[in-house]
Amino acid sequence: MHCQSELAIGLMSGTSMDGIDAALVKISQDNSSVEAELLEFECYPYSEEVKETLISLSKGTNGGTREICLMQELLGKLYADACVSLCQKAGVDKHDISFVGCHGQTLWHQPKAVAYLGNTIRGTLQIGDPSFICEKMGCPAVSDFRPRDMAAGGQGAPIVPYTEFLLYREDKDVALLNIGGISNITIIPANGRIDDVVAFDTGPGNLLIDQMVKDYTQGEKAYDEGGKIALSGEASKALLDHMMQDDYLKIVPPKSTGREHYNSVFLKDIYEFCTTNNISKVDMIATVSRYTAECVYYSVREFSSVYPSKLIVSGGGAHNEAIMTYLKELFLDCRVMKAEEAGINPDAKEAVAMAVLAHETMQRKCNNVPSVTGADHPVIMGRITY
């Protein structure tokens, strides 16, 4: 059977706001399937100044239209530079790239409707002008994936399950967990159809831990490398029980979340509880790391009709041995494994997904999963800039 293939780049900037994940992907398609082969990957970190500004803007109360406008253009340039650098690293002529899929940087995600100027509004905002990618690369850029799903009644998240169904389904019940700033899980029943897929954000991933470590080390460390700080402490049952009262956990999917919920107010409550109950900062970091794992286990137990035979973990959290240890303690009779054990680059998986989503957009194929996002019907997500 004739199989067509083309080169694409996928760009992902997640909730951690630490940089741009760039994946060079060979996408092959025949009449019945799509395959994606990762050829090269690199993470291009944001400068500390850019990261801090993005975190400030994402609070929803800082900055203004001037700041957002300038950041929109700056990120567009950084995305374009990342594409060119990745091609140079791979020894590939940039003119051989057919298209780029760019997620953009989320500044605000509002999946739950709120009253606004006499209307009821939901919305999502990812910034980073794709025009710069087109200008530097000479190919189309696909961006702004989420809004089309939201217009059809969905939450615009999660969007990766479509690609995970295409690439990773098998004859066993399998779950794919990505731990970035926020944790999201996709559960694919054995030999299931796309409508059988269950996926949603389980709760926080690294973002609470990162901020706590930054506070604890007075800015010397941006994250808990390898989970060493958490492993040196002991999880507090009292704090864990307190955190498990989080309203988000009880919401029935479809659901998604972000910094809008897990923010400074959420952190302040944790700090105050620890002060009142004499819980050390190290034990607090251990507990919040445990909480990331507990949220995943609770979510699978409550909202999935199948119990996975294996849990494949990717994202920055896959490198946190404390979180991985907690997951293994919770998921008995389930093989908890890092993505590379399944032949998947744990850092590149979501960037690869952006390339595959863009491929489907370019092919005019619907690429959301209504059963996951809550959309009324399938839609073609993504805006194409030629």
Side-chain angles (χ1 to χ4, degrees):
M1 184 177 293
H2 180 64
C3 185
Q4 294 181 326
S5 64
E6 50 192 339
L7 296 180
I9 290 176
L11 302 176
M12 181 68 198
S13 304
T15 318
S16 293
M17 297 185 171
D18 48 10
I20 303 164
D21 291 337
L24 175 64
V25 185
K26 179 181 178 182
I27 300 179
S28 304
Q29 178 182 17
D30 59 27
N31 292 332
S32 60
S33 65
V34 174
E35 295 183 357
E37 178 187 357
L38 178 64
L39 302 180
E40 189 62 80
F41 173 77
E42 186 61 69
C43 177
Y44 298 96
Y46 291 141
S47 69
E48 192 61 29
E49 189 176 21
V50 170
K51 178 178 179 178
E52 290 302 321
T53 303
L54 283 170
I55 291 174
S56 176
L57 289 173
S58 71
K59 293 178 181 178
T61 54
N62 298 347
T65 50
R66 176 184 181 274
E67 189 93 42
I68 293 173
C69 173
L70 296 177
M71 183 60 78
Q72 156 93 337
E73 304 311 297
L74 172 59
L75 289 182
K77 289 186 174 183
L78 295 179
Y79 292 149
D81 290 344
C83 291
V84 173
S85 296
L86 186 68
C87 288
Q88 292 172 344
K89 180 182 179 184
V92 170
D93 189 323
K94 69 178 185 179
H95 296 108
D96 290 337
I97 304 299
S98 296
F99 56 86
V100 175
C102 181
H103 177 271
Q105 185 67 66
T106 300
L107 284 191
W108 194 261
H109 184 64
Q110 184 71 50
K112 186 177 180 181
V114 293
Y116 182 70
L117 301 181
N119 288 271
T120 303
I121 299 295
R122 301 178 306 118
T124 189
L125 177 63
Q126 288 76 42
I127 66 170
D129 190 345
S131 302
F132 291 95
I133 296 173
C134 298
E135 187 66 24
K136 274 206 170 183
M137 297 295 292
C139 68
V142 185
S143 61
D144 251 355
F145 291 99
R146 300 182 187 275
R148 183 66 184 90
D149 180 85
M150 296 192 83
Q155 296 208 356
I159 58 173
V160 170
Y162 177 86
T163 66
E164 291 175 326
F165 175 79
L166 288 182
L167 301 176
Y168 307 125
R169 70 184 183 273
E170 52 184 86
D171 59 0
K172 295 180 180 179
D173 299 326
V174 59
L176 297 110
L177 172 67
N178 186 78
I179 306 176
I182 295 294
S183 296
N184 57 74
I185 195 166
T186 300
I187 304 166
I188 308 173
N191 301 313
R193 300 172 303 165
I194 195 162
D195 291 341
D196 298 323
V197 173
V198 175
F200 50 89
D201 292 343
T202 61
N206 300 313
L207 65 83
L208 295 177
I209 303 167
D210 290 351
Q211 186 59 52
M212 288 177 172
V213 168
K214 188 173 182 180
D215 294 343
Y216 174 62
T217 63
Q218 297 182 325
E220 289 185 11
K221 294 184 178 180
Y223 63 100
D224 187 8
E225 184 177 359
K228 293 177 184 177
I229 297 175
L231 289 171
S232 70
E234 184 175 343
S236 161
K237 185 180 185 303
L239 176 58
L240 187 60
D241 289 345
H242 176 72
M243 294 183 71
M244 291 300 291
Q245 300 308 307
D246 176 13
D247 290 340
Y248 178 75
L249 296 183
K250 311 301 187 294
I251 298 173
V252 177
K255 61 177 182 175
S256 55
T257 188
R259 288 182 180 272
E260 302 75 28
H261 180 73
Y262 296 105
N263 52 22
S264 58
V265 176
F266 196 92
L267 271 174
K268 182 182 178 183
D269 177 69
I270 296 172
Y271 284 155
E272 289 177 350
F273 186 92
C274 289
T275 299
T276 302
N277 292 275
N278 297 314
I279 298 169
S280 72
K281 292 180 179 178
V282 170
D283 287 351
M284 176 182 68
I285 292 170
T287 308
V288 175
S289 301
R290 175 88 190 194
Y291 180 66
T292 291
E294 290 278 357
C295 289
V296 177
Y297 179 67
Y298 174 89
S299 298
V300 171
R301 194 181 70 226
E302 291 294 318
F303 304 125
S304 174
S305 61
V306 300
Y307 185 80
S309 61
K310 60 183 176 182
L311 177 68
I312 302 172
V313 187
S314 61
H319 304 298
N320 186 312
E321 294 303 326
I323 295 176
M324 292 299 296
T325 297
Y326 297 145
L327 286 171
K328 290 175 182 176
E329 290 176 358
L330 291 165
F331 280 90
L332 302 176
D333 301 321
C334 171
R335 183 184 175 193
V336 178
M337 57 197 295
K338 294 182 180 181
E340 56 259 47
E341 296 177 55
I344 305 168
N345 184 312
D347 301 313
K349 186 168 77 70
E350 294 213 330
V352 170
M354 293 307 113
V356 176
L357 281 176
H359 172 268
E360 300 297 276
T361 305
M362 297 295 294
Q363 296 292 317
R364 300 184 180 184
K365 292 183 178 179
C366 294
N367 51 3
N368 68 330
V369 185
S371 63
V372 164
T373 66
D376 296 332
H377 54 83
V379 297
I380 303 173
M381 299 189 299
R383 292 175 176 151
I384 304 174
T385 305
Y386 286 99

